[in-house]
Amino acid sequence: MKHFFILVLALVAISCGSTRVDYDYDEQIDFSQYQTYNFMPEMDSGLSQLDLKRLMDATDAVMQAKGFTKSQTPDVLINIIAEEYEDVQRNSVGVGIGGGSYGGGVSVGAGIPLGGNKNHQTITLDLVDAQKDILVWQAVSDSNIKVSTNPQERVTHYTKIAQKVFEKFPPEE
């Protein structure tokens, strides 16, 4: 029984706080031609102005660390789209107590929910060739997000998202 509870705790710990990122890109594009970037002039990101600024600042830092320069005449434009949803947890642990004699018996069962509902945030970052107006690279991140956080925790959240999203950009040839 001790090992069962350790396994349950490990699974709960693993499922908390993770960020998954999926990538897609045009394999015909030579990404070495891109050296400058900027953000789409009109973005309907789905984020508050404060959170959008946090994510844009984090993206600036990551792109500049990768050697890209922010420009008024960029090679690529970055578009940000975010959605939030609630993931209803249906997992539970059942505990049963039973007893009886000669085939008859009484049992009691209880379900204990693991965790609770989790709020998720999906953020899509599109990189569009500014001259050709075509999508060349896309990353979609899905992560848990706390509803009640302070500004510094939100900066940390969006910094981690930007770092994870651009981890594999530009794609290796």
Side-chain angles (χ1 to χ4, degrees):
M1 196 61 154
K2 177 181 174 184
H3 296 291
F4 175 73
F5 286 119
I6 292 171
L7 176 65
V8 169
L9 288 174
L11 289 173
V12 169
I14 290 170
S15 68
C16 295
S18 63
T19 299
R20 192 183 94 227
V21 179
D22 294 314
Y23 302 94
D24 194 12
Y25 60 94
D26 186 339
E27 295 175 305
Q28 305 302 316
I29 298 295
D30 174 13
F31 285 89
S32 67
Q33 69 181 322
Y34 301 129
Q35 298 175 3
T36 60
Y37 76 97
N38 208 330
F39 295 94
M40 289 278 191
E42 298 293 324
M43 277 193 287
D44 186 14
S45 70
L47 294 170
S48 72
Q49 286 181 338
L50 294 170
D51 284 343
L52 179 59
K53 182 176 178 346
R54 291 175 180 120
L55 183 55
M56 289 171 70
D57 289 347
T59 300
D60 280 336
V62 171
M63 291 293 282
Q64 290 169 14
K66 289 183 168 282
F68 289 84
T69 305
K70 194 170 185 179
S71 169
Q72 294 302 316
T73 55
D75 299 325
V76 291
L77 291 166
I78 300 172
N79 189 38
I80 299 170
I81 303 165
E83 297 176 331
E84 290 187 22
Y85 65 94
E86 186 174 24
D87 185 19
V88 179
Q89 298 293 311
R90 291 185 174 83
N91 298 334
S92 64
V93 174
V95 177
I97 302 171
S101 60
Y102 302 107
V106 176
S107 67
V108 176
I112 303 168
L114 295 176
N117 294 348
K118 302 230 186 282
N119 291 318
H120 286 265
Q121 186 176 57
T122 301
I123 298 177
T124 303
L125 283 102
D126 295 330
L127 271 66
V128 175
D129 184 301
Q131 300 302 314
K132 298 176 186 173
D133 195 28
I134 59 170
L135 180 66
V136 294
W137 187 86
Q138 181 179 68
V140 179
S141 75
D142 186 66
S143 59
N144 297 339
I145 184 167
K146 294 179 185 175
V147 176
S148 300
T149 57
N150 63 45
Q152 187 53 45
E153 288 173 331
R154 294 182 89 76
V155 167
T156 301
H157 172 75
Y158 290 112
T159 300
K160 287 179 183 177
I161 295 287
Q163 290 169 344
K164 184 97 174 174
V165 161
F166 287 102
E167 192 173 73
K168 295 184 180 178
F169 179 80
E172 294 181 11
E173 310 268 335

